DNA sequence: TTTTTATTCCAGTATTCCATGGAATACTGG
DNA sequence: CCAGTATTCCATGGAATACTGGAATAAAAA
């Protein structure tokens, strides 16, 4: 193999991984899976895509060995093929955030419109706040921020009473583009709690 | 802005950064710039692309704020816009390497065909080897591996005499797909030295 | 001011990618 | 074996991307 051919083929292959993340739907699917395995219907629902399209994109990701599939009874469950993919997704977010003013602006504007303040927990005494994971319980079990408790966003109504009104509630969900924590923060503040959203990007490990 | 619109726009923007790396030519341009600023003609030559195509891709990268341009006399010099891009490129390589058997196979086969052995310097006593940077001097000055000396690959002939035949020569260049170190290792071994290629992925910081 | 050099832009062509609807397939359960 | 459910595959049309040659532009140099 000539040097030029070697280099060409190498870049072709490496760039194909980047290309996989270059479609917004596939990127979202990867990030949903970073938070834990899901079946096709769950992914379809969370990403608000058609079933055919969801499956099409999953085949592309599978072909590139970024995800793995496993049948459990009548459902096919997908999961990330390797934990380095989480590091890659994080690095992509970090660069996109630093370089794209429009992205920063879009998120800042949305958070402001929603009235969601943010907190950096490293700056807070541990006794002053509660870290609240508002993702579905199965994702919490799969991996969560150390010290976090779990109240799935759709169970907040009945579980809110568990929370200490004397402490700041710092909520997080699946990442910067996930709005579950925004909803929860809004509901908690309306109920007389002091709640904000976690400032750091959180992306979980796979099993 | 509705939540669904917010999420859509967010993924559109973030995936555009991945899409930028999704073309093998643009990926190569980014990696060349990770090793130091270069003008359009230098990039064209190293990447073996047409001038028009090189410039086209640089415009795309500039638009996404991944690179910055600056005129110096009659030449336009490009450089990476931020150091996080190097981390992103590294993360992409790591994932591609772990997931794509074909990539590993392609590189392994090329290195074997070239007869290039590899060494992990962490496993060697510091007194037993010389770390040799074979990139152009301007790239060495821009940033290099700690403890490395520089002999640009095209000056090996007259500079080889500086090297200690009693030590193992561990050469590196711009990364896994760069073949400068393979050439140098081959020439050194033919001249009676003991030379190998550095095993780790090396990607340099920008200024 | 004119010429030269380096680079970018434009329009056309070819190729690749994406989403869709419907058909096909791969299972499980009875 | 059949029915039901979940998922994948196929062919299509349209959108997006990539590359090219030549023109245009933006400087520096004479």
């Amino acid at each position: 193999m000539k040097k030029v051919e070697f280099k060409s083929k190498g870049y072709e292959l490496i760039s194909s991984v980047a290309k996989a993340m270059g479609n917004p739907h596939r990127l979202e699917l990867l990030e949903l899976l970073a938070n834990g395995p899901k079946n096709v219907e769950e992914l379809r629902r969370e990403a608000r895509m058609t079933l055919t399209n969801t499956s099409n994109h999953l085949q592309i990701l599978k072909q590139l060995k970024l995800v793995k599939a496993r049948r459990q009874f009548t459902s096919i469950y997908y999961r990330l093929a390797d934990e380095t993919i989480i590091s890659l997704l994080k690095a992509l977010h970090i660069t996109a955030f630093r370089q794209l003013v429009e992205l920063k602006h879009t998120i800042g504007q949305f958070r402001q419109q929603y009235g969601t303040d943010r907190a950096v927990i490293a700056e807070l005494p541990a006794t002053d706040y509660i870290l609240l994971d508002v993702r579905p319980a199965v994702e919490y079990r799969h991996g969560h921020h150390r010290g976090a408790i779990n109240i799935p966003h759709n169970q907040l109504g009945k579980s809110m009473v568990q929370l200490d009104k004397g402490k700041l509630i710092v909520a997080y969900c699946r990442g910067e583009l996930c709005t579950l924590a925004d909803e929860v923060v809004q509901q908690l503040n309306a109920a007389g709690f002091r709640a904000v959203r976690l400032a750091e990007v959180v992306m979980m490990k796979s099993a």
Side-chain angles (χ1 to χ4, degrees), chain A residues 117 168-171 184-186 188-189 193-197:
Chain A
D117 286 329
L168 179 70
I169 314 298
V170 183
V184 163
V185 161
Q186 196 177 55
L188 286 173
N189 283 324
F193 291 85
R194 283 183 305 126
V196 296
R197 187 186 164 103

Side-chain angles (χ1 to χ4, degrees), chain A residues 1-204:
Chain A
M1 181 182 282
K2 287 175 180 169
K3 282 179 284 181
V4 171
E5 285 166 3
F6 164 70
K7 202 174 61 157
S8 271
K9 184 156 178 107
Y11 278 115
E12 200 76 30
L13 289 168
I14 300 180
S15 66
S16 72
V17 173
K19 193 186 291 185
M21 302 185 297
N23 175 279
H25 290 315
R26 290 198 293 273
L27 182 59
E28 181 171 10
L29 291 175
L30 287 172
E31 292 191 9
L32 284 168
L33 293 173
N35 283 270
K38 292 176 176 67
N39 67 28
V40 184
E41 169 57 30
E42 288 168 343
L43 290 166
R44 183 209 69 73
R45 189 169 59 245
E46 293 292 345
R48 299 173 190 252
M49 290 163 60
T50 62
L51 189 60
T52 303
N53 208 21
T54 302
S55 183
N56 284 345
H57 285 304
L58 286 169
Q59 298 325 302
I60 294 170
L61 295 174
K62 195 164 61 174
Q63 195 171 25
L64 288 163
K65 312 292 183 220
L66 296 178
V67 303
K68 284 181 175 175
R70 173 159 137 257
R71 178 181 282 269
Q72 242 175 329
F73 300 102
T74 61
S75 298
I76 310 287
Y77 278 85
Y78 282 86
R79 61 188 166 88
L80 288 190
D82 195 87
E83 280 190 36
T84 58
I85 297 160
I86 296 179
S87 303
L88 176 54
L89 293 171
K90 277 179 179 172
L92 179 61
H93 270 248
I94 289 168
T95 296
F97 264 82
R98 282 176 86 110
Q99 302 316 114
L100 301 183
V101 169
E102 191 183 356
L103 177 61
K104 241 169 145 160
H105 181 261
T106 297
I107 292 182
Q109 198 179 32
F110 178 82
R111 296 277 125 83
Q112 190 187 21
Q113 169 193 310
Y114 229 84
T116 316
D117 286 329
R118 274 174 277 198
V120 178
I121 53 176
E123 296 170 1
L124 301 172
T127 50
D128 284 3
Y129 70 91
I130 294 171
L131 191 56
L132 180 64
D133 183 329
V134 300
R135 296 173 302 154
V138 63
E139 291 183 33
Y140 176 83
R141 284 194 292 274
H142 182 258
H144 54 268
H145 220 291
R146 186 178 321 154
I149 66 169
N150 180 222
I151 301 184
H153 68 102
N154 58 357
Q155 292 172 19
L156 187 68
K158 65 192 183 194
S159 303
M160 187 182 290
V161 295
Q162 301 173 16
L163 295 171
D164 185 346
K165 274 188 176 175
K167 295 189 174 186
L168 179 70
I169 314 298
V170 183
Y172 74 84
C173 47
R174 295 183 180 121
E176 208 68 23
L177 299 180
C178 180
T179 56
L180 297 179
D182 298 285
E183 296 171 34
V184 163
V185 161
Q186 196 177 55
Q187 289 167 40
L188 286 173
N189 283 324
F193 291 85
R194 283 183 305 126
V196 296
R197 187 186 164 103
L198 184 67
E200 292 100 288
V201 171
V202 179
M203 248 172 231
M204 300 301 169

